[in-house]
Every structure is written in C-alpha cells, then in structure tokens.
Amino acid sequence: FVNSNGHIIPKPFGTDYELEPGKVYTLTHDRDLYIDYLLEDKDFEFPSTYYLNDKDHKFINKTIDTFNKTEKMTTGILLSGMKGSGKTLMAKKIAKESGLPIIVVDSKMSSDDIEPFFAKITDDVCVIFDEIDTGISGEVSNMVAKKMYALSKINQIIAITHLPTLCAMADVNFKVSKATNDNITETMIEKLDKEDNIKEIARLTGVISYSTT
C-alpha cells in the first residue's frame, strides 16, 4: 500500500520509469479505468524542407533562455494566427530545441483532469496544447483559460489557439502568419507588445473598435 494525502491505497503495479529528454509522449485518459496516463508516441515529423529566418531562431532561443532563467523553471507562450500559418510547426521546433521530455495533450482530455495530473509531475517537461480551443466557447473557454494559467505556474506551456480568452490569460502572446512569394512559403512570428496584444484579442473577438484604457 501507499499513503497519498491520508488515503491508503494499493500500490500500483509496474516498474519505475524516467521520462526521456526529447522524447514525445501523449497525455490521454482511459474512460473505463478513469485514469490519466502517458503513452510513448512517435517523434515529431517535420517537412522535408522548411526555412527558419534569424528572427525565428532568436524567438526559439529567447523562449528557452527565459525558461532556464526563471526561478521555478516555468514559462508559457501562446501562438495565435490563421489556420495553416505554421503555429504547430513552430511549437514542435521549440519543444525539440528545449531538450525536455515533450508531452502533447490529447484534445479529448478534460480540463478538470489535466491540472491534477501535472501537479504530480516533478520533472521539468515541455507541454504542448494544440488547438485546445476546438469546440468550446463562452464560460467553458474561461474555465480552460484559468486551468492553463494555473498549469503555467508548474510547467512550461506552449498553447496554439484562436480563442481570445486564452490569449488574454497568457504571459506572452505571439502572432504567427504565413506568406508565399516566388513559390517560397515563409512563416513569420511576431511578439506582441501591450497595444498589439489588445488589437489581436479584439480582432479574435470580432470587435471593430477598441480602447486601450
């Protein structure tokens, strides 16, 4: 048996397992057993040819440096932009460059299950939420945003979203866009300052006019 916060429960079967740096895992949920667990997943697949400019490399390095310099070894970034603009590609690139174990959260995971799971993890990990806003709005989106904010105090969070409520809760927001010139497609990423952040959140909400006061 093991004692967990005063609850004496049978000790689970299995062997010790250390998360491997750079390895990709998927966090999922077993509805029958009602347990959350990680599955070893295949490595990220990148396009055979893609281009990162100096600004992209600086962004990736700054994100990782910020994580390494924080007292609790945590940081969070939010990538927003049009569909197909390269947000997922950038998130995967940052995750691989971090050298941390990478956890991709299954879109079917409940927000109520995610926070307790990560609260038990003591290892430094990089967590990716891809299209976490799919199929939600209103009060549910507010709840998800609050859960993600709480998680960002425990682990490094990279979230890819089109939802303004999530953007509003982020420590830092980046806008991702894509342009094609002379048959070369380039993905651009831009860190948003306070005013641009308000403009982008207003755009995502469909607001035409806004005020910074």
Short mmCIF file of all heavy atoms in Angstrom, two decimals, residues 92-146:
data_model
loop_
_atom_site.label_atom_id
_atom_site.label_comp_id
_atom_site.label_asym_id
_atom_site.label_seq_id
_atom_site.Cartn_x
_atom_site.Cartn_y
_atom_site.Cartn_z
N LYS A 92 6.43 22.65 -32.22
CA LYS A 92 7.23 21.43 -32.22
C LYS A 92 8.71 21.74 -32.23
O LYS A 92 9.52 21.07 -31.56
CB LYS A 92 6.87 20.57 -33.43
CG LYS A 92 5.48 19.95 -33.37
CD LYS A 92 5.19 19.14 -34.62
CE LYS A 92 3.83 18.47 -34.55
NZ LYS A 92 3.53 17.71 -35.79
N LYS A 93 9.10 22.76 -32.99
CA LYS A 93 10.52 23.13 -33.07
C LYS A 93 11.03 23.61 -31.72
O LYS A 93 12.12 23.23 -31.27
CB LYS A 93 10.70 24.23 -34.13
CG LYS A 93 12.14 24.58 -34.43
CD LYS A 93 12.87 23.42 -35.08
CE LYS A 93 14.30 23.80 -35.45
NZ LYS A 93 15.06 22.66 -35.99
N ILE A 94 10.24 24.44 -31.04
CA ILE A 94 10.63 24.93 -29.71
C ILE A 94 10.76 23.76 -28.74
O ILE A 94 11.72 23.67 -27.96
CB ILE A 94 9.61 25.95 -29.17
CG1 ILE A 94 9.61 27.21 -30.04
CG2 ILE A 94 9.91 26.31 -27.71
CD1 ILE A 94 8.48 28.16 -29.72
N ALA A 95 9.79 22.86 -28.79
CA ALA A 95 9.79 21.72 -27.88
C ALA A 95 11.04 20.86 -28.07
O ALA A 95 11.68 20.44 -27.10
CB ALA A 95 8.53 20.88 -28.09
N LYS A 96 11.40 20.58 -29.31
CA LYS A 96 12.57 19.75 -29.59
C LYS A 96 13.84 20.46 -29.15
O LYS A 96 14.77 19.85 -28.61
CB LYS A 96 12.64 19.41 -31.07
CG LYS A 96 11.53 18.47 -31.54
CD LYS A 96 11.57 17.12 -30.85
CE LYS A 96 12.75 16.27 -31.27
NZ LYS A 96 12.70 14.91 -30.67
N GLU A 97 13.91 21.77 -29.39
CA GLU A 97 15.11 22.53 -29.03
C GLU A 97 15.27 22.65 -27.52
O GLU A 97 16.37 22.84 -27.02
CB GLU A 97 15.05 23.93 -29.65
CG GLU A 97 15.16 23.96 -31.17
CD GLU A 97 16.58 23.69 -31.65
OE1 GLU A 97 17.53 23.88 -30.87
OE2 GLU A 97 16.74 23.26 -32.81
N SER A 98 14.17 22.53 -26.78
CA SER A 98 14.23 22.68 -25.32
C SER A 98 15.02 21.55 -24.66
O SER A 98 15.57 21.72 -23.57
CB SER A 98 12.82 22.72 -24.73
OG SER A 98 12.21 21.44 -24.76
N GLY A 99 15.05 20.38 -25.32
CA GLY A 99 15.76 19.24 -24.72
C GLY A 99 15.02 18.59 -23.57
O GLY A 99 15.56 17.74 -22.88
N LEU A 100 13.75 18.98 -23.37
CA LEU A 100 12.94 18.42 -22.29
C LEU A 100 12.06 17.29 -22.81
O LEU A 100 11.79 17.21 -24.01
CB LEU A 100 12.04 19.51 -21.69
CG LEU A 100 12.73 20.70 -21.05
CD1 LEU A 100 11.69 21.78 -20.74
CD2 LEU A 100 13.46 20.30 -19.78
N PRO A 101 11.57 16.42 -21.92
CA PRO A 101 10.53 15.49 -22.34
C PRO A 101 9.33 16.30 -22.83
O PRO A 101 8.98 17.32 -22.25
CB PRO A 101 10.20 14.73 -21.05
CG PRO A 101 11.41 14.86 -20.20
CD PRO A 101 11.96 16.22 -20.50
N ILE A 102 8.70 15.85 -23.91
CA ILE A 102 7.61 16.61 -24.53
C ILE A 102 6.29 15.87 -24.32
O ILE A 102 6.16 14.69 -24.64
CB ILE A 102 7.87 16.78 -26.04
CG1 ILE A 102 9.21 17.48 -26.27
CG2 ILE A 102 6.73 17.55 -26.70
CD1 ILE A 102 9.72 17.35 -27.70
N ILE A 103 5.32 16.58 -23.76
CA ILE A 103 4.00 15.99 -23.54
C ILE A 103 2.97 16.74 -24.38
O ILE A 103 2.79 17.94 -24.23
CB ILE A 103 3.60 16.06 -22.05
CG1 ILE A 103 4.59 15.24 -21.20
CG2 ILE A 103 2.18 15.54 -21.86
CD1 ILE A 103 4.31 15.30 -19.71
N VAL A 104 2.34 16.02 -25.29
CA VAL A 104 1.28 16.58 -26.13
C VAL A 104 -0.05 16.16 -25.51
O VAL A 104 -0.31 14.97 -25.34
CB VAL A 104 1.38 16.08 -27.58
CG1 VAL A 104 0.26 16.68 -28.43
CG2 VAL A 104 2.75 16.42 -28.17
N VAL A 105 -0.88 17.13 -25.17
CA VAL A 105 -2.14 16.84 -24.50
C VAL A 105 -3.21 16.47 -25.53
O VAL A 105 -3.48 17.23 -26.46
CB VAL A 105 -2.62 18.05 -23.67
CG1 VAL A 105 -3.95 17.74 -22.99
CG2 VAL A 105 -1.57 18.41 -22.63
N ASP A 106 -3.79 15.29 -25.37
CA ASP A 106 -4.86 14.83 -26.25
C ASP A 106 -6.03 15.80 -26.17
O ASP A 106 -6.43 16.24 -25.09
CB ASP A 106 -5.31 13.43 -25.80
CG ASP A 106 -6.22 12.74 -26.82
OD1 ASP A 106 -7.09 13.42 -27.39
OD2 ASP A 106 -6.05 11.53 -27.04
N SER A 107 -6.59 16.14 -27.33
CA SER A 107 -7.69 17.11 -27.37
C SER A 107 -8.93 16.61 -26.63
O SER A 107 -9.82 17.39 -26.29
CB SER A 107 -8.06 17.42 -28.83
OG SER A 107 -8.45 16.25 -29.52
N LYS A 108 -9.00 15.29 -26.37
CA LYS A 108 -10.15 14.73 -25.67
C LYS A 108 -10.02 14.83 -24.15
O LYS A 108 -10.97 14.52 -23.42
CB LYS A 108 -10.32 13.26 -26.07
CG LYS A 108 -10.60 13.05 -27.56
CD LYS A 108 -10.70 11.57 -27.89
CE LYS A 108 -10.93 11.36 -29.38
NZ LYS A 108 -10.98 9.91 -29.73
N MET A 109 -8.86 15.27 -23.68
CA MET A 109 -8.65 15.38 -22.23
C MET A 109 -9.52 16.47 -21.63
O MET A 109 -9.64 17.56 -22.18
CB MET A 109 -7.18 15.68 -21.93
CG MET A 109 -6.25 14.51 -22.09
SD MET A 109 -6.45 13.28 -20.78
CE MET A 109 -5.99 14.23 -19.34
N SER A 110 -10.12 16.17 -20.49
CA SER A 110 -10.91 17.16 -19.77
C SER A 110 -9.98 18.11 -19.01
O SER A 110 -8.96 17.70 -18.45
CB SER A 110 -11.85 16.47 -18.78
OG SER A 110 -12.38 17.39 -17.86
N SER A 111 -10.34 19.39 -19.00
CA SER A 111 -9.51 20.36 -18.28
C SER A 111 -9.46 20.06 -16.79
O SER A 111 -8.49 20.39 -16.11
CB SER A 111 -10.05 21.78 -18.51
OG SER A 111 -11.38 21.90 -18.03
N ASP A 112 -10.50 19.40 -16.26
CA ASP A 112 -10.52 19.06 -14.83
C ASP A 112 -9.51 17.97 -14.50
O ASP A 112 -9.09 17.83 -13.35
CB ASP A 112 -11.92 18.58 -14.43
CG ASP A 112 -12.94 19.71 -14.42
OD1 ASP A 112 -12.53 20.86 -14.22
OD2 ASP A 112 -14.14 19.44 -14.62
N ASP A 113 -9.13 17.17 -15.51
CA ASP A 113 -8.17 16.09 -15.28
C ASP A 113 -6.73 16.54 -15.51
O ASP A 113 -5.80 15.93 -14.97
CB ASP A 113 -8.48 14.90 -16.22
CG ASP A 113 -9.82 14.27 -15.94
OD1 ASP A 113 -10.23 14.27 -14.76
OD2 ASP A 113 -10.48 13.82 -16.90
N ILE A 114 -6.55 17.56 -16.33
CA ILE A 114 -5.20 17.96 -16.74
C ILE A 114 -4.40 18.53 -15.58
O ILE A 114 -3.26 18.12 -15.34
CB ILE A 114 -5.28 18.98 -17.89
CG1 ILE A 114 -5.84 18.32 -19.16
CG2 ILE A 114 -3.90 19.57 -18.18
CD1 ILE A 114 -6.11 19.30 -20.28
N GLU A 115 -4.99 19.47 -14.85
CA GLU A 115 -4.24 20.13 -13.77
C GLU A 115 -3.78 19.17 -12.69
O GLU A 115 -2.61 19.20 -12.29
CB GLU A 115 -5.07 21.27 -13.18
CG GLU A 115 -4.30 22.10 -12.16
CD GLU A 115 -5.11 23.27 -11.63
OE1 GLU A 115 -6.26 23.47 -12.09
OE2 GLU A 115 -4.61 23.97 -10.75
N PRO A 116 -4.65 18.28 -12.15
CA PRO A 116 -4.19 17.34 -11.13
C PRO A 116 -3.06 16.43 -11.62
O PRO A 116 -2.16 16.09 -10.86
CB PRO A 116 -5.44 16.52 -10.81
CG PRO A 116 -6.58 17.40 -11.18
CD PRO A 116 -6.11 18.15 -12.39
N PHE A 117 -3.10 16.06 -12.90
CA PHE A 117 -2.05 15.19 -13.44
C PHE A 117 -0.71 15.88 -13.40
O PHE A 117 0.29 15.33 -12.91
CB PHE A 117 -2.39 14.78 -14.88
CG PHE A 117 -1.36 13.89 -15.52
CD1 PHE A 117 -1.41 12.52 -15.34
CD2 PHE A 117 -0.33 14.43 -16.26
CE1 PHE A 117 -0.45 11.70 -15.91
CE2 PHE A 117 0.64 13.61 -16.85
CZ PHE A 117 0.58 12.24 -16.67
N PHE A 118 -0.64 17.12 -13.89
CA PHE A 118 0.64 17.83 -13.93
C PHE A 118 1.11 18.28 -12.55
O PHE A 118 2.30 18.51 -12.35
CB PHE A 118 0.55 19.02 -14.89
CG PHE A 118 0.61 18.62 -16.34
CD1 PHE A 118 -0.50 18.68 -17.14
CD2 PHE A 118 1.80 18.17 -16.89
CE1 PHE A 118 -0.46 18.30 -18.47
CE2 PHE A 118 1.87 17.79 -18.22
CZ PHE A 118 0.73 17.85 -19.01
N ALA A 119 0.18 18.41 -11.64
CA ALA A 119 0.58 18.79 -10.28
C ALA A 119 1.43 17.71 -9.62
O ALA A 119 2.19 17.97 -8.70
CB ALA A 119 -0.67 19.07 -9.44
N LYS A 120 1.31 16.47 -10.12
CA LYS A 120 2.06 15.34 -9.55
C LYS A 120 3.43 15.18 -10.20
O LYS A 120 4.26 14.41 -9.71
CB LYS A 120 1.26 14.04 -9.73
CG LYS A 120 -0.10 14.05 -9.05
CD LYS A 120 -0.86 12.78 -9.38
CE LYS A 120 -2.26 12.79 -8.80
NZ LYS A 120 -3.03 11.59 -9.18
N ILE A 121 3.68 15.87 -11.32
CA ILE A 121 4.94 15.71 -12.03
C ILE A 121 6.00 16.64 -11.45
O ILE A 121 5.78 17.86 -11.33
CB ILE A 121 4.76 16.00 -13.53
CG1 ILE A 121 3.83 14.97 -14.16
CG2 ILE A 121 6.10 16.00 -14.26
CD1 ILE A 121 3.58 15.17 -15.64
N THR A 122 7.13 16.09 -11.07
CA THR A 122 8.22 16.89 -10.52
C THR A 122 9.31 17.16 -11.55
O THR A 122 10.14 18.04 -11.36
CB THR A 122 8.84 16.18 -9.30
OG1 THR A 122 9.29 14.88 -9.68
CG2 THR A 122 7.80 16.05 -8.18
N ASP A 123 9.31 16.40 -12.63
CA ASP A 123 10.32 16.61 -13.67
C ASP A 123 9.98 17.84 -14.50
O ASP A 123 8.81 18.22 -14.66
CB ASP A 123 10.38 15.39 -14.62
CG ASP A 123 10.82 14.13 -13.92
OD1 ASP A 123 11.41 14.25 -12.82
OD2 ASP A 123 10.58 13.03 -14.44
N ASP A 124 11.02 18.49 -15.05
CA ASP A 124 10.80 19.57 -16.00
C ASP A 124 10.34 18.96 -17.32
O ASP A 124 10.99 18.06 -17.85
CB ASP A 124 12.09 20.36 -16.22
CG ASP A 124 12.50 21.15 -14.99
OD1 ASP A 124 11.60 21.56 -14.25
OD2 ASP A 124 13.71 21.33 -14.78
N VAL A 125 9.23 19.44 -17.84
CA VAL A 125 8.70 18.94 -19.10
C VAL A 125 8.21 20.12 -19.94
O VAL A 125 7.97 21.21 -19.43
CB VAL A 125 7.53 17.94 -18.89
CG1 VAL A 125 8.00 16.69 -18.19
CG2 VAL A 125 6.39 18.61 -18.13
N CYS A 126 8.10 19.88 -21.23
CA CYS A 126 7.52 20.85 -22.14
C CYS A 126 6.15 20.33 -22.57
O CYS A 126 6.04 19.21 -23.07
CB CYS A 126 8.41 21.06 -23.37
SG CYS A 126 7.77 22.26 -24.56
N VAL A 127 5.10 21.12 -22.37
CA VAL A 127 3.74 20.69 -22.64
C VAL A 127 3.19 21.47 -23.83
O VAL A 127 3.31 22.69 -23.89
CB VAL A 127 2.82 20.92 -21.42
CG1 VAL A 127 1.44 20.33 -21.67
CG2 VAL A 127 3.44 20.32 -20.17
N ILE A 128 2.60 20.76 -24.78
CA ILE A 128 2.01 21.39 -25.95
C ILE A 128 0.50 21.16 -25.97
O ILE A 128 0.03 20.03 -25.87
CB ILE A 128 2.62 20.84 -27.26
CG1 ILE A 128 4.10 21.18 -27.34
CG2 ILE A 128 1.87 21.40 -28.47
CD1 ILE A 128 4.76 20.67 -28.62
N PHE A 129 -0.25 22.25 -26.05
CA PHE A 129 -1.69 22.19 -26.27
C PHE A 129 -1.94 22.67 -27.69
O PHE A 129 -1.79 23.86 -27.98
CB PHE A 129 -2.44 23.10 -25.28
CG PHE A 129 -2.33 22.69 -23.84
CD1 PHE A 129 -1.30 23.15 -23.05
CD2 PHE A 129 -3.27 21.84 -23.28
CE1 PHE A 129 -1.20 22.78 -21.71
CE2 PHE A 129 -3.18 21.47 -21.94
CZ PHE A 129 -2.14 21.94 -21.16
N ASP A 130 -2.32 21.78 -28.57
CA ASP A 130 -2.56 22.16 -29.97
C ASP A 130 -4.06 22.21 -30.23
O ASP A 130 -4.77 21.23 -30.03
CB ASP A 130 -1.91 21.13 -30.91
CG ASP A 130 -1.83 21.63 -32.34
OD1 ASP A 130 -2.33 22.75 -32.60
OD2 ASP A 130 -1.28 20.93 -33.19
N GLU A 131 -4.54 23.41 -30.66
CA GLU A 131 -5.96 23.62 -30.94
C GLU A 131 -6.81 23.25 -29.72
O GLU A 131 -7.84 22.57 -29.84
CB GLU A 131 -6.40 22.79 -32.15
CG GLU A 131 -5.57 23.02 -33.40
CD GLU A 131 -5.78 24.41 -34.00
OE1 GLU A 131 -6.64 25.16 -33.50
OE2 GLU A 131 -5.09 24.74 -34.98
N ILE A 132 -6.37 23.71 -28.55
CA ILE A 132 -7.10 23.37 -27.33
C ILE A 132 -8.47 24.02 -27.29
O ILE A 132 -9.35 23.62 -26.53
CB ILE A 132 -6.27 23.78 -26.08
CG1 ILE A 132 -6.88 23.16 -24.82
CG2 ILE A 132 -6.18 25.30 -25.98
CD1 ILE A 132 -6.08 23.37 -23.59
N ASP A 133 -8.70 25.03 -28.14
CA ASP A 133 -9.97 25.74 -28.12
C ASP A 133 -11.02 25.11 -29.02
O ASP A 133 -12.13 25.63 -29.15
CB ASP A 133 -9.75 27.20 -28.55
CG ASP A 133 -9.03 27.30 -29.88
OD1 ASP A 133 -8.70 26.25 -30.45
OD2 ASP A 133 -8.77 28.43 -30.34
N THR A 134 -10.70 23.99 -29.66
CA THR A 134 -11.63 23.37 -30.60
C THR A 134 -12.95 22.99 -29.92
O THR A 134 -12.96 22.25 -28.93
CB THR A 134 -11.01 22.11 -31.24
OG1 THR A 134 -9.82 22.49 -31.93
CG2 THR A 134 -11.97 21.47 -32.22
N GLY A 135 -14.05 23.51 -30.43
CA GLY A 135 -15.38 23.12 -29.96
C GLY A 135 -15.81 23.72 -28.64
O GLY A 135 -16.81 23.27 -28.06
N ILE A 136 -15.09 24.73 -28.13
CA ILE A 136 -15.51 25.34 -26.87
C ILE A 136 -15.69 26.85 -27.04
O ILE A 136 -15.13 27.46 -27.95
CB ILE A 136 -14.50 25.08 -25.73
CG1 ILE A 136 -13.15 25.77 -26.04
CG2 ILE A 136 -14.32 23.60 -25.49
CD1 ILE A 136 -12.18 25.71 -24.88
N SER A 137 -16.48 27.44 -26.16
CA SER A 137 -16.70 28.88 -26.17
C SER A 137 -17.32 29.29 -24.84
O SER A 137 -17.57 28.44 -23.98
CB SER A 137 -17.64 29.28 -27.33
OG SER A 137 -18.89 28.64 -27.19
N GLY A 138 -17.56 30.57 -24.69
CA GLY A 138 -18.26 31.07 -23.51
C GLY A 138 -17.57 30.75 -22.20
O GLY A 138 -16.35 30.83 -22.07
N GLU A 139 -18.37 30.32 -21.22
CA GLU A 139 -17.86 30.06 -19.87
C GLU A 139 -16.87 28.90 -19.85
O GLU A 139 -15.92 28.90 -19.07
CB GLU A 139 -19.03 29.77 -18.92
CG GLU A 139 -18.61 29.59 -17.46
CD GLU A 139 -17.88 30.80 -16.89
OE1 GLU A 139 -18.18 31.93 -17.33
OE2 GLU A 139 -17.01 30.60 -16.02
N VAL A 140 -17.08 27.91 -20.74
CA VAL A 140 -16.15 26.78 -20.80
C VAL A 140 -14.75 27.26 -21.19
O VAL A 140 -13.74 26.83 -20.62
CB VAL A 140 -16.65 25.72 -21.80
CG1 VAL A 140 -15.61 24.61 -21.95
CG2 VAL A 140 -17.97 25.14 -21.35
N SER A 141 -14.69 28.18 -22.15
CA SER A 141 -13.38 28.70 -22.57
C SER A 141 -12.72 29.48 -21.44
O SER A 141 -11.49 29.44 -21.29
CB SER A 141 -13.54 29.59 -23.80
OG SER A 141 -14.26 30.78 -23.49
N ASN A 142 -13.51 30.18 -20.63
CA ASN A 142 -12.95 30.89 -19.48
C ASN A 142 -12.36 29.91 -18.47
O ASN A 142 -11.28 30.14 -17.90
CB ASN A 142 -14.02 31.73 -18.79
CG ASN A 142 -14.48 32.90 -19.62
OD1 ASN A 142 -13.71 33.43 -20.42
ND2 ASN A 142 -15.73 33.31 -19.46
N MET A 143 -13.05 28.80 -18.25
CA MET A 143 -12.56 27.78 -17.32
C MET A 143 -11.25 27.16 -17.82
O MET A 143 -10.31 26.96 -17.05
CB MET A 143 -13.62 26.70 -17.12
CG MET A 143 -14.87 27.16 -16.39
SD MET A 143 -16.18 25.91 -16.39
CE MET A 143 -15.35 24.58 -15.53
N VAL A 144 -11.20 26.86 -19.13
CA VAL A 144 -9.99 26.29 -19.70
C VAL A 144 -8.83 27.27 -19.58
O VAL A 144 -7.70 26.89 -19.26
CB VAL A 144 -10.22 25.91 -21.18
CG1 VAL A 144 -8.91 25.50 -21.84
CG2 VAL A 144 -11.22 24.77 -21.27
N ALA A 145 -9.10 28.54 -19.85
CA ALA A 145 -8.05 29.56 -19.75
C ALA A 145 -7.48 29.64 -18.34
O ALA A 145 -6.27 29.75 -18.14
CB ALA A 145 -8.62 30.92 -20.17
N LYS A 146 -8.34 29.57 -17.34
CA LYS A 146 -7.89 29.63 -15.94
C LYS A 146 -7.07 28.39 -15.58
O LYS A 146 -6.08 28.49 -14.85
CB LYS A 146 -9.10 29.76 -15.00
CG LYS A 146 -9.82 31.12 -15.11
CD LYS A 146 -11.05 31.16 -14.23
CE LYS A 146 -11.77 32.49 -14.36
NZ LYS A 146 -13.01 32.53 -13.54
#
